[in-house]
Amino acid sequence: MSAPIAQLQNALTGRYQIERELGHGGMATVFLARDLKHDRSVALKVLHAEVAATLGSERFEREIKTAARLQHPHILSVHDSGAIPASEVGPALLWFTMPFVEGETLRDRLTRERQLPVEDAVRIAREIAEALHYAHRHDVVHRDIKPENILLTADHALVADFGIARALGGGGEHRLTETGLAVGTPAYMSPEQASGEREVDARSDLYSLGCVLYEMLTGEVPFSGATPQAIMAKRFTGDVPAIRRVRPSVPEGLEQTVQRALASVPADRFATAGDLARALAPGMTTSPGVTPVSVPGPIPTLGRTAAPFARRPLFTVLLLGVALGGGLLFAWSRRSSGGESGARRIAVLPFDNLGPADQEYFADGITDEVRGKLTALHGLEVLARGSSSQYRRSTKTPRQIGQELGVQYLLTGTVRWEPGPDGRGRVKVSPELIQVSTGSAKWQEPFDAPLTDVFQVQADIAGRVANALNLALGEGAREQLAEQPTSSEEAYNYYLRGRSYEERARLNVEPQSMNIAEDMYRKAIGLDSSFALAWARLSGVELYLAGRDATTAAERGKRARQAVARALALRPTLAEGHVARGNILSEIDHDRASAMKEYSAALVREPNNAELLVAVAWNQAWRGQADSAVASIQRAVTLDPRSAEGMLDYGDLLYWRRRYAAADTIFDRAIALAPDQYHAYFDKANNLIDWKGDVEGARRVMREAETRIGPVEFVKKMCVACFDWTGPLAANYERILDQLDLSGFSARDSINYFIARAQRATARGDHGAARTNWESARGVAEHQRKARPDSRRILDDLADIYAGLGRREDVVRVHARFAEVLRASGDTTQLHNDLAAHWAVLHLVLNEPDAAIDSLRSALADTLQWWVTVPRLRVDPFWGRLKGNPRFEALLR
């Protein structure tokens, strides 16, 4: 959100004249301003109110002083700073200014050139090392060296973003205290920083600089992944990939220098940044036997170099979109139009099936496999299936599709599978790579091969696309392209059929289709017991079916574990296997920390897997890593921009962070993408209640949902969604509720049905009907608990049910077990929420108003709590029974 310009201008009258807003990102808003005293243009950056509140003016001033005292020819400077107290006009604001002249980031240049001339790469790295050496001698570690934080001006490099540094040594007031915001960028983090060590010293910056130099030379980072854990997992599976294998022209001595900077143990790196700078002598860029043109001079110091560089203009560009978890105070934005990483973006549209209709699954399978191969290519962002599949047989032009998806290239194709009389068939694939900007084909080539060579065809297509886009294939990417999941044609055919039914089951909530998928995967495995992909998919199917029926959950869960164990025994690096194991750990064992390790291992192989990133986001959210969760879901939405489900997840995570205005916008997008899906309507309505107490606005949203879905189905869906039936949105649905019966409800949903009826009966004062429905809910829930004794959902329900029945001792016992399960799983977010907010509800149902108010007070003070807010307390009839209580009214004030 933008900083309030009026408040800012009033406070800075006479000092700065704000001309216009340049942009705003996740943490700050940037303005172009005129420094009236010095008659110069400056970039004035204002932290968002919530960031300023988290940071605090005292911490802010310490960081500004840290950055301002670093005066070096290769470090950006800070002009001025200040704090504006909160007033009736607006919240407290923290601001600072820097020079403003446009320039180019190293990321811009890498996006344009991918690999830099060796001489340029060494010079840039040496200048960064000199800047770091100066900062380290002043007890400051940068902690976020990356191409985005390196500005190239004429022939020189400048390092920005020293505002996230922390002082070394001293402790106490000399150390910048933690704010809870992650610092550092995963692809460039040192091992000690990524593992969360608090004592990170100057050698961490040397590792990050080694990553940057490696990328300048090869066009890719040494280890890729979407999270620090993923990068660590890949890093520890082997040595740093050889530079000269990708680029033989790099001198051997330079490669050895980079290898030393990237040593996993800090003691094995260069002792200081000055040592690294001296190692990066200009002479090392020449081949052996060639006399270097010059020798390195002394490392610059402030006293020797300040005067000459003071006459040079300092070129600065500003970060208009600071990534969550990145720089805290200072950064800039590149001007390129590419994605966040500068990667080329491509969508693989469904290949047209030229055979009979019943072979559609085969064409879809080929499409998915080619898409999967392409995701292994560094420098290429491949949109997820959910967004691409909507353009099956589309009549839109490539330019229209490309603009809607935000991609530069489209891969289309046709597939014909011709089974032979001897059981051996042929596959004909005709792919075409289209450049969106021109609508013309950049590459096309037909493939006609025996079905036994279908995997080679898929690899060849991906390889040809890489060649057409000038993408270098590293050794790891080549290995992934060459992988063949099975040697059996028939097994592969069953596998593709299984994927088709599995997809149908997940999209349309069709358990019967999942049963068919299970049968297909088992037939594939029967033909090839070493088919690891089929084992992994079978594990996912068993887990899905375990969640549908508690009475078979234990047996299904056992089969899921056995299947994934078999998959990973066959292929230890299989991404699908690690995802399946992570899902089991998350959904059955509720062990979020261990699940995250599995997801991280999968991200090493598939860093651009949108569905995986969604799983990572929710894992981070439940473990209290809210900002990281939002960053992960943003990445997923970028890769799958037309997925209504992904957009809904994005909105929910923003809602959890109490970023209500942003969440409201995202919920609208989710509704526009899938108008007939109900969850987004409910979540948007709840967001309006928690945000503004906007009952009428929420009712309008619900009426729209009712119109689209139909009244009866709408109320039935509300049961399934566990919507708050006692709240202001449910008043019109009691008559329809009475018309529903249990037909079509699962055992889990029938609990919601009885609870809903009990709550409605309580609201109208019919205590007999309320008790009957509470008892019905208890019977179903207790039966379910026998099959799954530590199910969090069932424990949660039972606490509510026992409260409705007035059985306080059972409430305490069950809720205590519920908290134990949450604590053991590492779900710190839900633990916070339920220990206070849930108890507030239970106390009020048990007719304990004072205890309910005490719990409400704790919930309102908890920054992780999202569904107990003052606006909701004012309008929700459930809390209406507390109206008039002086302590409750004080809370509302």
Side-chain angles (χ1 to χ4, degrees):
M1 64 183 166
S2 301
I5 297 179
Q7 178 191 7
L8 191 63
Q9 186 61 80
N10 290 338
L12 299 179
T13 298
R15 298 175 62 185
Y16 296 96
Q17 176 62 48
I18 298 176
E19 297 181 2
R20 58 188 171 88
E21 179 179 319
L22 294 174
H24 59 275
M27 294 188 179
T29 301
V30 186
F31 299 93
L32 176 63
R34 195 73 186 167
D35 182 343
L36 300 178
K37 180 178 180 180
H38 301 97
D39 191 27
R40 62 186 177 185
S41 293
V42 297
L44 190 153
K45 196 166 188 176
V46 187
L47 301 188
H48 293 167
E50 60 269 28
V51 177
T54 300
L55 189 63
S57 60
E58 188 175 334
R59 165 78 188 274
F60 174 77
E61 290 297 334
R62 291 203 300 273
E63 293 216 324
I64 286 294
K65 289 178 181 177
T66 296
R69 77 172 190 256
L70 297 178
Q71 299 295 321
H72 185 273
H74 296 303
I75 296 178
L76 286 178
S77 60
V78 176
H79 283 336
D80 194 7
S81 65
I84 302 173
S87 65
E88 294 182 358
V89 180
L93 299 177
L94 303 175
W95 60 271
F96 62 93
T97 64
M98 296 182 293
F100 176 72
V101 180
E102 286 194 355
E104 181 184 49
T105 66
L106 176 57
R107 173 58 67 202
D108 291 334
R109 186 170 176 186
L110 287 171
T111 299
R112 187 175 64 251
E113 300 179 21
R114 200 173 70 79
Q115 295 177 344
L116 271 55
V118 175
E119 294 81 3
D120 287 0
V122 170
R123 174 185 53 78
I124 291 169
R126 183 172 61 251
E127 291 176 348
I128 299 168
E130 292 169 356
L132 292 174
H133 183 58
Y134 170 83
H136 295 165
R137 289 186 312 173
H138 286 74
D139 295 333
V140 177
V141 178
H142 190 286
R143 303 211 304 164
D144 198 20
I145 294 294
K146 59 183 177 180
E148 288 80 357
N149 285 343
I150 298 165
L151 178 64
L152 305 179
T153 67
D155 295 325
H156 296 282
L158 298 172
V159 181
D161 224 344
F162 269 101
I164 65 170
R166 72 156 66 179
L168 290 176
E173 288 301 307
H174 297 291
R175 181 178 301 282
L176 302 181
T177 57
E178 288 74 26
T179 64
L181 296 174
V183 176
T185 302
Y188 306 92
M189 279 183 178
S190 66
E192 60 271 24
Q193 186 179 0
S195 61
E197 292 183 18
R198 297 299 179 94
E199 300 299 327
V200 175
D201 64 23
R203 293 169 297 183
S204 178
D205 282 349
L206 303 189
Y207 185 95
S208 299
L209 178 52
C211 291
V212 173
L213 179 52
Y214 187 102
E215 185 175 6
M216 287 192 288
L217 294 170
T218 68
E220 58 186 33
V221 292
F223 303 102
S224 62
T227 68
Q229 295 87 347
I231 298 171
M232 287 176 67
K234 187 172 184 179
R235 179 182 298 131
F236 293 134
T237 61
D239 297 328
V240 177
I243 293 176
R244 285 161 56 82
R245 185 173 299 168
V246 178
R247 192 174 178 184
S249 62
V250 173
E252 185 175 353
L254 178 55
E255 180 174 45
Q256 292 172 353
T257 298
V258 178
Q259 291 279 351
R260 183 174 176 185
L262 291 174
S264 59
V265 178
D268 293 337
R269 299 171 201 153
F270 291 92
T272 68
D275 292 339
L276 175 56
R278 282 184 284 273
L280 294 170
M284 76 157 37
T285 63
T286 60
S287 301
V290 178
T291 304
V293 176
S294 62
V295 295
I299 295 177
T301 63
L302 180 60
R304 288 194 291 271
T305 61
F309 276 85
R311 293 192 294 271
R312 295 177 183 266
L314 287 178
F315 296 79
T316 306
V317 284
L318 303 168
L319 179 63
L320 307 183
V322 181
L324 290 168
L328 185 58
L329 294 182
F330 308 108
W332 46 35
S333 177
R334 55 196 178 278
R335 292 171 297 175
S336 66
S337 60
E340 182 181 353
S341 63
R344 299 163 180 81
R345 287 171 58 82
I346 186 172
V348 182
L349 303 187
F351 287 7
D352 290 334
N353 171 37
L354 298 184
D358 61 0
Q359 290 182 4
E360 189 80 46
Y361 75 92
F362 188 84
D364 288 344
I366 296 296
T367 307
D368 289 341
E369 294 299 322
V370 170
R371 183 184 295 109
K373 296 285 187 185
L374 289 173
T375 59
L377 304 183
H378 180 75
L380 188 65
E381 287 186 353
V382 185
L383 258 64
R385 185 181 193 274
S387 293
S388 302
S389 63
Q390 300 175 25
Y391 294 93
R392 185 187 302 277
R393 300 183 183 88
S394 175
T395 59
K396 294 182 178 179
T397 66
R399 181 168 295 182
Q400 289 174 315
I401 297 174
Q403 289 176 343
E404 290 179 6
L405 293 176
V407 298
Q408 300 148 315
Y409 301 95
L410 300 174
L411 183 64
T412 65
T414 62
V415 176
R416 179 183 293 278
W417 173 37
E418 298 177 347
D422 59 351
R424 295 184 176 276
R426 299 188 66 84
V427 59
K428 297 181 179 180
V429 184
S430 297
E432 183 177 27
L433 180 65
I434 301 173
Q435 188 164 351
V436 168
S437 60
T438 63
S440 61
K442 191 173 179 65
W443 164 81
Q444 58 182 354
E445 180 179 351
F447 293 84
D448 185 347
L451 186 58
T452 51
D453 293 337
V454 67
F455 306 117
Q456 185 60 50
V457 169
Q458 295 163 4
D460 286 345
I461 292 173
R464 300 290 201 283
V465 169
N467 183 64
L469 298 180
N470 297 317
L471 296 173
L473 291 180
E475 183 178 358
R478 293 181 189 279
E479 291 177 355
Q480 284 184 257
L481 291 183
E483 288 177 349
Q484 297 193 9
T486 179
S487 58
S488 169
E489 297 177 31
E490 193 175 358
Y492 186 62
N493 186 27
Y494 278 123
Y495 169 78
L496 292 182
R497 288 180 182 272
R499 286 196 60 170
S500 176
Y501 282 107
E502 181 183 355
E503 184 72 19
R504 185 186 308 175
R506 294 188 186 278
L507 285 177
N508 303 321
V509 192
E510 296 179 358
Q512 65 275 20
S513 293
M514 197 63 86
N515 288 324
I516 299 174
E518 178 187 12
D519 182 54
M520 294 295 102
Y521 290 142
R522 290 198 178 278
K523 286 181 177 179
I525 292 167
L527 292 164
D528 180 2
S529 62
S530 64
F531 197 166
L533 264 175
W535 281 110
R537 287 284 176 177
L538 178 62
S539 176
V541 168
E542 294 289 359
L543 182 63
Y544 175 94
L545 294 172
R548 302 294 300 180
D549 186 353
T551 59
T552 63
E555 179 60 29
R556 292 281 188 186
K558 180 180 178 181
R559 293 182 197 170
R561 294 180 201 275
Q562 292 171 339
V564 76
R566 179 63 173 157
L568 290 174
L570 291 165
R571 284 178 58 186
T573 61
L574 182 65
E576 288 86 346
H578 286 288
V579 171
R581 179 176 283 171
N583 291 340
I584 292 170
L585 288 165
S586 181
E587 298 177 29
I588 296 181
D589 300 333
H590 307 305
D591 184 351
R592 304 287 187 183
S594 296
M596 187 61 202
K597 294 179 181 178
E598 297 296 329
Y599 294 148
S600 297
L603 282 169
V604 170
R605 301 281 285 183
E606 297 186 2
N608 292 331
N609 184 321
E611 292 182 6
L612 175 55
L613 286 167
V614 171
V616 167
W618 283 110
N619 182 288
Q620 292 167 328
W622 286 122
R623 291 187 296 118
Q625 300 173 358
D627 289 337
S628 296
V630 172
S632 295
I633 200 70
Q634 286 174 331
R635 176 70 176 148
V637 169
T638 299
L639 293 165
D640 201 1
R642 297 188 65 81
S643 167
E645 187 175 353
M647 201 64 68
L648 178 60
D649 286 324
Y650 185 16
D652 285 340
L653 285 170
L654 290 171
Y655 172 35
W656 282 25
R657 292 299 291 143
R658 298 188 177 186
R659 293 169 60 179
Y660 300 121
D664 187 70
T665 299
I666 298 301
F667 287 140
D668 284 340
R669 293 182 187 175
I671 290 171
L673 288 169
D676 295 332
Q677 293 187 12
Y678 53 91
H679 284 107
Y681 296 100
F682 298 163
D683 294 348
K684 178 179 172 67
N686 268 313
N687 187 66
L688 287 171
I689 294 294
D690 288 333
W691 178 17
K692 303 176 179 179
D694 185 0
V695 176
E696 289 307 313
R699 283 178 173 159
R700 283 195 298 273
V701 174
M702 300 302 280
R703 282 195 292 270
E704 180 184 356
E706 181 183 0
T707 300
R708 288 186 177 276
I709 299 172
V712 176
E713 186 66 16
F714 176 60
V715 175
K716 186 174 181 179
K717 297 292 189 186
M718 288 175 69
C719 281
V720 174
C722 253
F723 195 70
D724 181 10
W725 287 79
T726 65
L729 308 178
N732 299 329
Y733 304 114
E734 187 172 336
R735 179 181 57 82
I736 298 175
L737 177 65
D738 289 337
Q739 299 175 9
L740 297 178
D741 57 31
L742 290 177
S743 61
F745 281 82
S746 69
R748 173 70 183 84
D749 294 334
S750 66
I751 297 175
N752 299 338
Y753 170 82
F754 288 123
I755 290 177
R757 300 206 59 162
Q759 289 173 335
R760 294 306 305 152
T762 299
R764 65 175 181 264
D766 189 346
H767 300 294
R771 186 169 188 84
T772 298
N773 282 287
W774 282 126
E775 287 288 358
S776 296
R778 179 189 62 79
V780 178
E782 289 181 344
H783 177 72
Q784 290 283 297
R785 193 186 178 194
K786 290 179 181 178
R788 301 184 66 182
D790 284 335
S791 166
R792 291 172 302 168
R793 279 187 173 183
I794 296 172
L795 290 169
D796 193 16
D797 287 338
L798 277 173
D800 290 330
I801 293 166
Y802 289 145
L805 292 171
R807 294 167 52 169
R808 193 182 196 286
E809 291 184 1
D810 288 328
V811 172
V812 173
R813 174 179 55 81
V814 169
H815 199 275
R817 181 56 191 159
F818 176 58
E820 289 175 4
V821 172
L822 289 179
R823 190 174 291 110
S825 70
D827 284 3
T828 55
T829 301
Q830 191 170 349
L831 188 63
H832 275 284
N833 294 338
D834 281 279
L835 286 182
H838 194 195
W839 261 118
V841 173
L842 297 174
H843 282 309
L844 193 56
V845 173
L846 290 168
N847 197 27
E848 299 170 350
D850 287 336
I853 293 171
D854 290 339
S855 293
L856 283 177
R857 188 183 303 278
S858 297
L860 289 172
D862 187 349
T863 58
L864 292 175
Q865 174 54 250
W866 75 94
W867 55 270
V868 173
T869 66
V870 169
R872 177 176 286 275
L873 294 177
R874 288 196 177 111
V875 300
D876 193 333
F878 177 79
W879 304 107
R881 66 192 81 178
L882 293 175
K883 292 290 180 67
N885 185 306
R887 296 180 64 216
F888 182 70
E889 298 298 334
L891 277 184
L892 299 185
R893 289 194 294 272

